[in-house]
Amino acid sequence: MKDVDCLIIGGGAAGLTAAVYLARFRRRIEVVDGGTSRLLQIPTSHNYPGYRSGIHGNDILSRLRAQAEEYDVPVRPTVVEWLRREEDGSFTAGAGELLWHARSVILATGVVDVEPAFADVKQAVAKGCLRYCPVCDGFEASGRSVGVIGHGKGGLGEAAFVSHFASGVTLYTLDEAIDPDPDERARLDRTKVQVVHEPVAGLSLAEGGGMCIELRSGQRHCVDIVYAALGTTVNSGLAQLLGARQTAKGELLVDEHMQTSVDGLYAAGDIVAGLNQITVAQGQAAIAATAIHNRLNAWHD
């Protein structure tokens, strides 16, 4: 069994940032990484600070890994299967035959985007034709036609948001009818979002660029960009095992030190309720790591 001051579960932007901070605090740590960071899906990030021409998500991840390596941070490529809090307030975690005993834990396991179940999804994301986050890249939709696909009126908020940038926005549904209430209808009118009530049957890359949306009747609409507003799956199962407080969507609720409702269990990144952004995740990681360092110091006072 490996004994550490902090076990960091998740090796994306949040987990690796926390690792660098804790390593520089001279703490015994280990990162357990399942290799599914959402950074790997980002073709180019144009709002990550310091890169005037943008930076590929994989490049961000590579730089963070290299920085962690400078401090000899061990990164274990596996998935933690269970997490238990012991009577003395410490934690035990396991992955197959691997075991860790940790005085604190940071969960940085993030979320998984719900993809539309159509062919060419990966290729469309790589080309920037299919996107998930208008906060990240709405600017790149400036002056372009956009389709937003959700369940019923689930994509209404995202459609209204991206209308600030796009030349035109149309809201589509995969299944249930789009039935906005009077306030929502007024918002659609105000933002000039068009609504197509017939459900979407298919989605594909257009030959000349952009995306084609096929309705159940066979009618096809072509747009420059499609935003999938289908939600995310939050990887908070380990926290749920310990009874950590969460939102209805499974996002973790934390205090000002990024500690969950379970003493000694911290969280950072998209798994936390709030704005899902790389820079936010890194800020949360810095807060959590510093809080853990101070907590461990207090134990020795």
Side-chain angles (χ1 to χ4, degrees):
M1 180 181 292
K2 183 76 172 288
D3 188 63
V4 295
D5 292 324
C6 182
L7 180 65
I8 301 170
I9 305 176
L16 291 173
T17 298
V20 169
Y21 269 73
L22 284 166
R24 289 175 55 81
F25 289 145
R26 302 179 65 86
R27 293 299 178 182
R28 294 172 301 139
I29 62 173
E30 185 149 317
V31 176
V32 183
D33 180 28
T36 58
S37 171
R38 284 209 295 174
L39 287 174
L40 296 170
Q41 299 180 32
I42 300 174
T44 305
S45 174
H46 291 280
N47 69 344
Y48 188 74
Y51 292 89
R52 60 188 297 179
S53 299
I55 180 171
H56 194 289
N58 188 48
D59 291 338
I60 298 174
L61 190 60
S62 296
R63 288 169 181 268
L64 289 171
R65 286 172 175 167
Q67 188 175 14
E69 288 174 4
E70 285 292 313
Y71 298 99
D72 297 321
V73 173
V75 178
R76 184 78 65 169
T78 188
V79 176
V80 172
E81 298 167 350
W82 56 269
L83 179 64
R84 182 175 66 235
R85 189 168 187 270
E86 307 297 346
E87 291 185 2
D88 64 356
S90 64
F91 298 85
T92 304
E97 297 181 354
L98 299 173
L99 294 174
W100 294 269
H101 177 255
R103 289 198 283 172
S104 59
V105 171
I106 295 177
L107 289 178
T109 44
V111 302
V112 178
D113 290 297
V114 177
E115 298 179 340
F118 303 124
D120 301 330
V121 166
K122 300 295 185 186
Q123 187 179 359
V125 170
K127 288 179 174 291
C129 299
L130 176 63
R131 301 179 179 180
Y132 296 97
C133 178
V135 173
C136 306
D137 50 33
F139 181 86
E140 277 65 52
S142 295
R144 307 177 75 183
S145 60
V146 172
V148 176
I149 298 178
H151 293 290
K153 62 181 180 181
L156 190 153
E158 195 155 313
F161 185 94
V162 79
S163 70
H164 174 74
F165 305 96
S167 60
V169 178
T170 304
L171 177 61
Y172 298 87
T173 179
L174 281 180
D175 36 48
E176 57 195 87
I178 300 174
D179 186 22
D181 61 32
D183 288 341
E184 292 167 336
R185 194 176 301 279
R187 188 182 186 191
L188 288 169
D189 291 340
R190 187 172 62 254
T191 55
K192 298 181 180 179
V193 172
Q194 302 297 310
V195 176
V196 173
H197 294 278
E198 184 182 344
V200 172
L203 182 66
S204 61
L205 282 165
E207 289 186 7
M211 299 291 291
C212 282
I213 300 167
E214 184 175 344
L215 307 179
R216 290 184 182 176
S217 64
Q219 184 180 3
R220 290 163 62 89
H221 294 184
C222 290
V223 296
D224 295 319
I225 297 168
V226 166
Y227 276 93
L230 304 175
T232 59
T233 300
V234 186
N235 294 322
S236 56
L238 294 173
Q240 293 175 22
L241 289 174
L242 302 182
R245 291 181 61 236
Q246 57 189 294
T247 68
K249 296 179 180 179
E251 301 161 318
L252 299 183
L253 300 171
V254 296
D255 64 15
E256 67 272 21
H257 301 296
M258 305 311 298
Q259 183 172 230
T260 71
S261 59
V262 177
D263 189 49
L265 179 66
Y266 294 74
D270 294 347
I271 193 175
V272 175
L275 182 63
N276 291 358
Q277 291 287 287
I278 303 169
T279 49
V280 172
Q282 293 181 296
Q284 291 172 340
I287 293 170
T290 304
I292 288 171
H293 173 65
N294 290 335
R295 173 193 181 95
L296 293 170
N297 274 346
W299 284 6
H300 294 293
D301 291 343

